[in-house]
Amino acid sequence: MNFLAHIYLSNENDNLKIGNFIADSVKGKQYLNYPTEIQKGIVLHRAIDNFTDTHPIVSKSVERLFARYGHYSRVIVDILYDHFLAANWKDYSDIPLKTYTKNFYKLLQDNFELLPKPIQSFLPYMIADNWLYNYRKIEGIEKILFQMNKRIKYRIKMHLAIEELQEFYTEFEDEFKRFFKELRAFVKVELNN
């Protein structure tokens, strides 16, 4: 799962959201340097990633892209699944997506000093381009994938995955919905442990 799903799955716990959001930039046991609730968010993020990476429904989505994008297919599927979460947001939250994302950006700005340097570097761009809100549109996803191309020095043209998204939109959306139901149940158990 990508940013929006990780944040959403943190429920309304702000420190859990921060930890879940920054987790990819916190390596190994560095998470122990953070306050307890942020540590829990980092650990939750890792559990979500493990659950996602080993799930057969996700594997089916990845398989559809693998011939063209290789091991980047998993990254692409994470972003496509965030699109379906954003596009179907009203099914998952009573808070409008625009309000939800605005509140999250403010949370990050208010806690800027806690964020790892890589997050501090890209946060202004994330906010300026309103990544989380724009996930709801195919054009927003294409822009994110294009920006990711830059980060990997254009080895794979990930933005072209919009073609597969459009061709197999119904299949990807169905896979997302079935998987996300299971993921939410998994996270509920994790949060109660």
Side-chain angles (χ1 to χ4, degrees):
M1 302 308 296
N2 205 40
F3 292 133
L4 185 60
H6 279 289
I7 298 159
Y8 172 82
L9 291 166
S10 299
N11 295 330
E12 290 308 310
N13 181 320
D14 286 347
N15 286 321
L16 211 58
K17 284 181 185 179
I18 292 169
N20 211 334
F21 178 73
I22 68 171
D24 283 336
S25 295
V26 180
K27 304 304 176 197
K29 292 189 178 188
Q30 289 176 352
Y31 78 98
L32 296 172
N33 298 328
Y34 289 90
T36 305
E37 283 297 300
I38 292 177
Q39 288 180 30
K40 288 179 184 175
I42 294 167
V43 170
L44 177 62
H45 179 108
R46 293 173 180 178
I48 289 168
D49 280 358
N50 185 58
F51 183 84
T52 302
D53 290 346
T54 58
H55 201 284
I57 294 174
V58 177
S59 294
K60 189 172 182 182
S61 293
V62 169
E63 198 175 290
R64 193 175 291 117
L65 301 173
F66 197 82
R68 191 171 187 187
Y69 306 102
H71 72 274
Y72 291 103
S73 300
R74 285 202 175 277
V75 175
I76 294 168
V77 167
D78 284 348
I79 293 167
L80 298 186
Y81 278 16
D82 256 16
H83 163 69
F84 291 111
L85 175 57
N88 295 287
W89 186 258
K90 65 184 181 335
D91 296 337
Y92 300 103
S93 179
D94 294 330
I95 303 168
L97 181 60
K98 194 169 205 168
T99 303
Y100 187 88
T101 57
K102 183 180 172 187
N103 291 343
F104 181 68
Y105 296 143
K106 182 172 181 347
L107 173 67
L108 294 180
Q109 290 170 319
D110 290 347
N111 292 278
F112 193 78
E113 72 286 347
L114 286 172
L115 306 177
K117 294 289 181 215
I119 305 276
Q120 289 178 349
S121 296
F122 78 69
L123 185 62
Y125 303 103
M126 181 183 202
I127 293 170
D129 290 338
N130 204 354
W131 292 1
L132 300 175
Y133 183 65
N134 287 320
Y135 281 164
R136 75 196 195 290
K137 293 184 177 179
I138 290 176
E139 299 81 26
I141 294 299
E142 184 174 25
K143 188 173 183 179
I144 295 297
L145 290 171
F146 188 79
Q147 289 169 341
M148 292 187 73
N149 286 336
K150 290 181 190 177
R151 288 175 48 198
I152 62 165
K153 302 189 183 351
Y154 301 98
R155 286 191 294 263
I156 298 281
K157 294 178 178 160
M158 286 193 276
H159 64 286
L160 297 180
I162 296 307
E163 295 169 7
E164 285 87 358
L165 174 61
Q166 290 171 323
E167 183 178 353
F168 300 103
Y169 197 90
T170 303
E171 292 87 344
F172 279 122
E173 185 172 37
D174 175 65
E175 288 157 6
F176 162 76
K177 287 181 176 180
R178 289 187 294 121
F179 167 69
F180 202 60
K181 181 178 180 182
E182 291 185 31
L183 178 59
R184 289 173 74 195
F186 168 78
V187 168
K188 188 174 182 180
V189 170
E190 288 292 304
L191 290 175
N192 289 326
N193 284 340

